[in-house]
Amino acid sequence: MPHADAKSFAVAPNATPGHLSGSQRERARVAYPLVTLPALLVALVSLIPLGFVAVVTVQTGWDQVVALVFRGRVGDLLINTALLEAATVPLTIVLAVALAWLTERTNLPFSRLWAWLAVAPLAVPAFVHSYAWISLVPGLKGLGGGVLVSVLAYFPFLYLPVAAQLRRLDPAIEDAAASLGLSPWRVFVRAVLPQLRVAICGGSLLVGLHLLAEYGLFVMIRFDTFSTAIVDQFQSAFNGPAANMLSGVLVLCCLALLGTEALARGGERYARVGSGAPRMVTRHALGPWIWPALALNLVTAALAIGVPFTTLTRWLAIGGFDIWPLQAVGNAVLQTVLLAVMGGMLTTVAAAPMAWLSVRAPGRLQRILEACHYYVGSLPGVVVALALVTITVRLVLPLYQTFATLLLAYGLLFLPRALVALRASIAQAPVELERAAMALGRAPLQAVRVTTMRLAAPGAAASTALVALGITNELTATLMLSPTGVETLATKFWSLTSEIDYVAAAPYALMMIVLSLPLTLVLHRQSSRASGSAA
Amino acid sequence: MSLLSITSVSKTYGSSARALIDVSLTVPAGARTAIVGPSGSGKTTLLKLIAGFERPDAGRITLDGTDLAGEGIHVPAHKRGIGIVSQDGALFPHLTVGENIGFGLPRRQEGRDQRIAALMNMVELDADMGSRRPHQLSGGQQQRVALARALALEPRLMLLDEPFSALDTGLRDTMRRTVARILAASGTTSILVTHDQGEALSFADHVAVFREGRLVQAGSPQSLYRRPADRQTALFLGDAVLLDAVVTSGQAETVLGTIPVSTTDDASDRGGSTAHKLVMLRPEQLRIRWLGLGEADLVKGARARVLESEFGGGLCRLTVEVGEGPSRAVLDLRVSGFDVAAPGETVAIEVVGQGHVLPG
């Protein structure tokens, strides 16, 4: 696992090249062609989905693009998407901030337990959340149902960064605001909330992108989004221009979200000003508010954990041993784990050159390449899958519906996760160590191997694990790209629920949760440690 | 006239950690008071109690005749009208310097901008810094902003929580003088909390020494330095030469000769009784003269043999031995670097002023 202080370490190596003059930096960049070249290659591959959308748009011709984009169906989908985002994101922010504040900054009883329960929904794939809700409330559908399940499935994405940021805040700032005559509520609004802005923006972006990309959740709840519409189109008319144009609009939606987030975040700095260690965080006494606070935590946990847990238990109890065809379940587990581990390692290897460059040789070229690596992860699985389907069918048919293509899709979708984990751990291995190893008689490559690669190993493991977690719960791209006969837990679960065989689907849902749970726990611990909390 | 009075205040954290034990202290209006003590002495706890961030377990805190804390009373921090400047300023990172300073002022107050400008001028910040962000300022500038922000509300009392300790040594002295001047100019009563005795002695008109949760001694810087209440306080407030002595009615027989002495506790040594005591002298009370050939007889003072001498630039260290037999004492002295005696040579030590008898 990346070390706790990954973030603060990450700054130091970047600072060194800052002292170099322009020409020196130029030389430093060219000095790593062996690393820059693969990074460049990966960046170019990352551009495939976007390039695909552009090429297809041009090939389709302007008139047909207009006909396909400016029609009622697209308008309906846009309205649906806008409503979904506008309702879900603010609700998620309010819920996540409230829970994070209560668990981190108040004397709420059992705050550690509630903190765990606020992260645990991550272990349940979004489409399993909606499966649980549909089982419980069969009539649930449309915008309301979509918002409810989305908030419950995605609020941990906001809870994690907000809670981490709350732990990092300097309590002296709140004291200062209080001493300037502000009541506790106004202290929160004027001094605390603004400092959570970066965490809220980042988490909201993640939630927003998931809303755009999610397919399974909204199909079950019978709410049309671009992702569901594209898959529908794909299943009825394969990779026709209609699906391609829809995915073009979806990409624009993603870009709009990215832009909105960048605007909202601004170029501000929210780090702690001043030196010295921050004081221990003080916890506010809730007084009589303790009951509503407990109720909020309890209700959230009941809805986000209790509902999937009880429905799954119910289906498993109804099904008994009969729904455990060991060969089928075992096969799906095996194939899922195999794909997850292979995809995880491949993605980690692909991200390694970029991670190394961004720490050791930051510069303009590096920033452009890094942006390519990051943007592709924000694209919905359906867009990446559609691009790869079209390209393999048109250009390299032998690769269509092969493991190679599927793994490539996974690599593209989860590249940012790998990059973040690797970057943090490479940043912990200062270049001085390599130099020391060389001064002690090691050849350059050997020096890198015995120092940096050794120290980055935990980061590589974390990166593999994070990507593997993503692959385990990936549905859309796997549905569209998997070779015939390949059935992961997600696709098997999906085909069974599509036949309304909720009982038989339960074991697959359970196995997905079981596989995700350890990683979710690790994620929670990491975020606690990253902020220097003793919890 | 006292502005703040603290009566028998105690505070315990958790089940056992006693942070403050029965502390009573009055802070005179318009003065600068320093609360000084090593870490863990309870000084920061006392500050939090005064500011209202914590509640005392027992005792009473009164500001200007109004109870702030006591049995069943707790005025919350934001209603106390007490300003605070903390160790690193605690500036709001999301606001500009100007917005930080105007944070406590009502948004639509008339003349708000002029007030901010005046405050910036008061703390000697350039007007064009108003649009900068806190992280673009140096440590000293950040502290000035924090001071201006606290002064904006014209607090009855200003708490300074180790405001200089994050600064470089040179800057620290300058800032201390600047802050003292600004507070004097605005007539604000202030309490400085610090672990640095030099800072406390030079900043304040009134010093309170804390140790292990108790108020050990309070008084003017001069009286505390010259007449500390006990040995630990004596050593905490500065270097000290401690000598065994036989004390008889204002005179102490020591290895450095007979010295006039004072005591903190007037009652104990009156009446001519004789007692073995510890007498404290500050190193600057010892005049050390190197004895050249021939003039030895003309120089007053006790004779001492130099054991070690360590050159240190302007100020050098001399380890000397005085007396013989059971009364022999080894003293560490500070001497001018101009003429340092070598080991084996003899120096004369003359005592200036009064010694101070430590209790016990």
Side-chain angles (χ1 to χ4, degrees), chain A residues 172-173 175-184 190-191 194-195 268-275 279, chain B residues 48 53 77-78 82-84 86 88 90-94 103-104 107 133-135 142 149-150 153 166:
Chain A
I173 289 196
D175 288 354
S179 76
L180 292 168
L182 264 62
S183 65
R190 285 189 66 194
Q195 297 190 76
E268 315 237 340
R269 178 198 150 113
Y270 290 92
R272 204 167 150 270
V273 181
S275 53
R279 284 196 283 122
Chain B
K48 284 185 189 167
F53 303 137
H78 65 278
I82 294 177
I84 184 161
S86 66
D88 42 32
L91 299 183
F92 304 113
H94 57 288
F103 190 86
R107 292 255 170 89
R133 294 267 168 179
H135 70 269
Q142 287 181 15
R149 182 177 69 179
L153 297 183

Side-chain angles (χ1 to χ4, degrees), chain A residues 83-136:
Chain A
L83 287 177
L84 181 70
E85 296 274 357
T88 310
V89 173
L91 273 175
T92 315
I93 293 174
V94 171
L95 179 65
V97 171
L99 291 181
W101 170 261
L102 288 174
T103 53
E104 296 303 328
R105 301 301 302 275
T106 68
N107 63 346
L108 184 78
F110 315 114
S111 62
R112 285 306 98 200
L113 172 73
W114 299 121
W116 277 106
L117 290 175
V119 181
L122 275 186
V124 183
F127 51 88
V128 175
H129 274 288
S130 60
Y131 156 80
W133 277 93
I134 277 293
S135 308
L136 192 73

Side-chain angles (χ1 to χ4, degrees), chain A residues 189-258:
Chain A
V189 172
R190 285 189 66 194
V192 177
L193 212 49
Q195 297 190 76
L196 299 178
R197 187 155 133 191
V198 170
I200 290 176
C201 282
S204 304
L205 177 66
L206 209 55
V207 173
L209 289 173
H210 270 88
L211 291 176
L212 288 184
E214 183 56 40
Y215 163 70
L217 192 166
F218 297 116
V219 170
M220 277 202 190
I221 224 88
R222 280 168 287 163
F223 181 71
D224 283 350
T225 68
F226 280 103
S227 285
T228 65
I230 293 169
V231 177
D232 281 350
Q233 279 285 338
F234 176 75
Q235 280 167 349
S236 60
F238 204 49
N239 58 333
N244 289 342
M245 282 309 102
L246 283 179
S247 93
V249 178
L250 182 51
V251 167
L252 289 181
C253 290
C254 283
L255 295 180
L257 264 191
L258 289 170

Side-chain angles (χ1 to χ4, degrees), chain A residues 32-405:
Chain A
Y32 305 120
L34 281 179
V35 191
T36 308
L37 206 64
L40 191 70
L41 205 68
V42 174
L44 284 177
V45 174
S46 311
L47 288 176
I48 286 178
L50 203 59
F52 158 77
V53 170
V55 168
V56 157
T57 310
V58 171
Q59 282 184 352
T60 309
W62 182 243
D63 290 341
Q64 212 188 338
V65 169
V66 171
L68 285 170
V69 171
F70 296 95
R71 60 189 169 117
R73 175 73 175 144
V74 176
D76 289 345
L77 291 175
L78 271 178
I79 290 171
N80 270 3
T81 305
L83 287 177
L84 181 70
E85 296 274 357
T88 310
V89 173
L91 273 175
T92 315
I93 293 174
V94 171
L95 179 65
V97 171
L99 291 181
W101 170 261
L102 288 174
T103 53
E104 296 303 328
R105 301 301 302 275
T106 68
N107 63 346
L108 184 78
F110 315 114
S111 62
R112 285 306 98 200
L113 172 73
W114 299 121
W116 277 106
L117 290 175
V119 181
L122 275 186
V124 183
F127 51 88
V128 175
H129 274 288
S130 60
Y131 156 80
W133 277 93
I134 277 293
S135 308
L136 192 73
V137 192
L140 197 69
K141 64 168 188 168
L143 182 64
V147 170
L148 171 73
V149 181
S150 304
V151 168
L152 293 174
Y154 295 131
F155 81 86
F157 284 128
L158 259 156
Y159 173 85
L160 274 173
V162 170
Q165 181 64 23
L166 275 174
R167 279 193 293 264
R168 267 196 296 268
L169 288 189
D170 185 356
I173 289 196
E174 285 154 66
D175 288 354
S179 76
L180 292 168
L182 264 62
S183 65
W185 170 246
R186 291 184 63 221
V187 169
F188 181 77
V189 172
R190 285 189 66 194
V192 177
L193 212 49
Q195 297 190 76
L196 299 178
R197 187 155 133 191
V198 170
I200 290 176
C201 282
S204 304
L205 177 66
L206 209 55
V207 173
L209 289 173
H210 270 88
L211 291 176
L212 288 184
E214 183 56 40
Y215 163 70
L217 192 166
F218 297 116
V219 170
M220 277 202 190
I221 224 88
R222 280 168 287 163
F223 181 71
D224 283 350
T225 68
F226 280 103
S227 285
T228 65
I230 293 169
V231 177
D232 281 350
Q233 279 285 338
F234 176 75
Q235 280 167 349
S236 60
F238 204 49
N239 58 333
N244 289 342
M245 282 309 102
L246 283 179
S247 93
V249 178
L250 182 51
V251 167
L252 289 181
C253 290
C254 283
L255 295 180
L257 264 191
L258 289 170
T260 312
E261 194 265 349
L263 275 181
R265 175 162 35 89
E268 315 237 340
R269 178 198 150 113
Y270 290 92
R272 204 167 150 270
V273 181
S275 53
R279 284 196 283 122
M280 273 285 289
V281 170
T282 45
R283 285 180 177 267
H284 298 259
L286 282 171
W289 288 96
I290 206 155
W291 300 111
L294 273 175
L296 178 69
N297 276 279
L298 193 68
V299 168
T300 308
L303 296 184
I305 303 291
V307 169
F309 186 77
T310 45
T311 22
L312 260 185
T313 317
R314 190 159 63 96
W315 290 135
L316 288 171
I318 290 173
F321 285 112
D322 302 339
I323 54 164
W324 290 88
L326 275 187
Q327 207 185 339
V329 176
N331 198 29
V333 169
L334 200 71
Q335 290 198 346
T336 306
V337 168
L338 200 72
L339 270 176
V341 170
M342 276 171 59
M345 295 202 303
L346 203 77
T347 312
T348 303
V349 169
M354 189 66 248
W356 195 84
L357 275 185
S358 68
V359 173
R360 286 296 157 76
R364 194 178 302 155
L365 175 68
Q366 166 269 325
R367 277 201 300 277
I368 294 170
L369 293 184
E370 203 175 355
C372 292
H373 280 65
Y374 275 119
Y375 105 90
V376 70
S378 61
L379 291 183
V382 63
V383 172
V384 171
L386 199 60
L388 291 182
V389 166
T390 313
I391 288 165
T392 49
V393 167
R394 284 195 199 170
L395 301 178
V396 272
L397 194 57
L399 282 180
Y400 175 60
Q401 287 203 332
T402 56
F403 274 110
T405 313

